[in-house]
């Protein structure tokens, strides 16, 4: 685990650098990750527009800002992602805005397919679902917790849809994006703040 985490950190990027890499690849007709396809290229294009909008309009609730400001120790949010992932497009701008508000949070983004060993340590129901956020103590690089790939409400929606129809099709994806739109990032903010309060409690108990 420690080696996989260390490699993930070495391979990680700032939010702005991650976005620049995805954009540069797109301009070359490519997508991030091991698989290239027209569908993934179209998703990447759509995601860039979504992220541009969210970067401008996403608002972090004041009560969550205050809780982030109250963190006593330093943490790294190491997030596994890819440019074509629709959930990542909705969630990374929230994570970035939250990290910007707290001097004790440092966001690093690593591409999933470049960090298979790390991804395999943080599977979701056996799948390599992204985005996956890993909370690290900055001083020790110890893993304190993880989150993802979706907030509970979004995960429940997809689970229910798959149980009913047996597949995740374009209709399911549209319903998921509508859920994100109506939620306005509040579920993700709440869940990440709760995660950080739990991690802080664990961290302060450690000698």
């Amino acid at each position: 685990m420690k080696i996989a985490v260390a490699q993930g950190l070495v391979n990680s990027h700032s939010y702005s650098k991650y976005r620049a890499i995805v954009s540069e690849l797109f301009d070359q007709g490519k997508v991030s990750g091991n698989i290239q396809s027209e569908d993934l290229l179209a998703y990447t294009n759509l995601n860039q527009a979504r992220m541009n909008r969210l970067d401008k309009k996403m608002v972090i609730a004041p009560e969550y800002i205050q809780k982030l400001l109250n963190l006593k120790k330093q943490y790294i949010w190491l997030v596994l992602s890819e440019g074509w992932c629709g959930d990542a497009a909705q969630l990374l701008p929230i994570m970035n805005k939250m990290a910007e508000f707290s001097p004790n949070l440092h966001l690093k983004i690593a591409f999933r397919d470049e960090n298979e060993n790390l991804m395999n340590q943080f599977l979701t129901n056996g799948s390599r679902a992204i985005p996956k956020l890993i909370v690290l103590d900055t001083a020790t690089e110890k893993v304190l917790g993880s989150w993802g790939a979706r907030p509970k409400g979004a995960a429940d929606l997809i689970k229910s849809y798959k149980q009913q129809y047996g597949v995740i099709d374009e209709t399911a994806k549209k319903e998921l994006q509508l859920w994100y739109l109506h939620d306005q990032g509040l579920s993700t903010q709440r869940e990440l703040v709760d995660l950080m309060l739990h991690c802080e409690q664990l961290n302060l108990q450690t000698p």
Side-chain angles (χ1 to χ4, degrees), residues 58-59 94 179-187 189:
M58 176 55 57
V59 175
I94 303 173
W179 185 93
Y180 279 122
L181 183 64
H182 293 311
D183 184 70
Q184 297 183 323
L186 290 174
S187 293
Q189 294 173 39

Side-chain angles (χ1 to χ4, degrees), residues 161-172:
Y161 192 96
K162 191 170 184 179
Q163 286 175 343
Q164 187 172 357
Y165 299 104
V167 294
I168 301 302
D169 54 17
E170 288 303 315
T171 300

Side-chain angles (χ1 to χ4, degrees), residues 73-100:
K73 292 206 172 184
Q74 297 271 325
Y75 301 93
I76 296 169
W77 279 358
L78 178 58
V79 183
L80 292 165
S81 182
E82 293 289 352
W84 44 259
C85 175
D87 291 291
Q90 293 284 356
L91 299 170
L92 287 178
I94 303 173
M95 296 170 186
N96 181 54
K97 282 280 177 76
M98 293 178 78
E100 284 180 340

Side-chain angles (χ1 to χ4, degrees), residues 29 31 35-43:
V31 300
I35 299 173
Q36 303 292 317
S37 74
E38 289 300 317
D39 282 347
L40 292 182
L41 200 61
Y43 289 143

Side-chain angles (χ1 to χ4, degrees), residues 134-147:
I134 304 160
V135 182
L136 305 174
D137 175 81
T138 301
T140 64
E141 296 182 2
K142 178 183 177 182
V143 175
L144 299 172
S146 64
W147 181 91

